[in-house]
Amino acid sequence: MKEIKMRMEPNTYYVWVGGSCDYARKERFGGGAYIIEQNNVEECSYATSAQNTTEFRMMLTVMAHALQNLPNESTVVFVTNVSYIKQALEATTTPPDAANIDLIQNCKDSIQEHKSVTVKLVNYHKYPQLPKTHEMAHKAMCQLR
């Protein structure tokens, strides 16, 4: 299979975000991970997990982590296949009883520190970075068990 490369703008951070959740277990472990690329070079990666959570919550957790650790005034593109993430961050208002409102607000607050933050939806199987983030999240989740 030929690897497809995404056209990346220079000096822009591309943050590939993935998650994993073990819905079959009562403890419901979840994991999230990211890979940051800039100028077609992988700069760093990060994975974390928690118990009694969901993959969406863990994906927002790692997104907040990335935003807080990237240099202020950066141009950031989150790349994912999860439309929930795009909808949550681009909504102009969030109902006070919405799921993950604390993390959504954390991300929105951190976005203010950057020049530009967008979310790009892509096909999961088209780019190897997304399956890799899923594997990283799953591994972090398994280590927590």
Side-chain angles (χ1 to χ4, degrees), residues 62-73:
V62 299
M63 291 172 73
H65 184 273
L67 288 167
Q68 292 160 2
N69 286 284
L70 287 170
N72 286 351
E73 296 300 315

Side-chain angles (χ1 to χ4, degrees), residues 62-133:
V62 299
M63 291 172 73
H65 184 273
L67 288 167
Q68 292 160 2
N69 286 284
L70 287 170
N72 286 351
E73 296 300 315
S74 296
T75 300
V76 180
V77 177
F78 285 105
V79 186
T80 184
N81 65 314
V82 180
S83 61
Y84 169 81
I85 299 300
K86 184 173 179 70
Q87 293 165 356
L89 294 187
E90 292 181 356
T92 53
T93 60
T94 305
D97 60 344
N100 303 316
I101 191 164
D102 57 329
L103 290 169
I104 293 168
Q105 191 59 52
N106 189 347
C107 286
K108 286 184 174 185
D109 291 344
S110 295
I111 286 171
Q112 303 306 313
E113 302 298 321
H114 296 283
K115 182 178 179 182
S116 169
V117 177
T118 57
V119 179
K120 180 175 179 63
L121 294 176
V122 297
N123 183 302
Y124 177 83
H125 296 287
K126 192 172 180 180
Y127 302 97
Q129 295 92 328
L130 286 181
K132 186 175 175 183
T133 60

Side-chain angles (χ1 to χ4, degrees), residues 31-32 52-63 84-85 99-104:
N52 298 315
T53 192
T54 65
E55 67 183 300
F56 294 146
R57 186 158 182 82
M58 295 310 299
M59 290 175 74
L60 288 165
T61 298
V62 299
M63 291 172 73
Y84 169 81
I85 299 300
N100 303 316
I101 191 164
D102 57 329
L103 290 169
I104 293 168

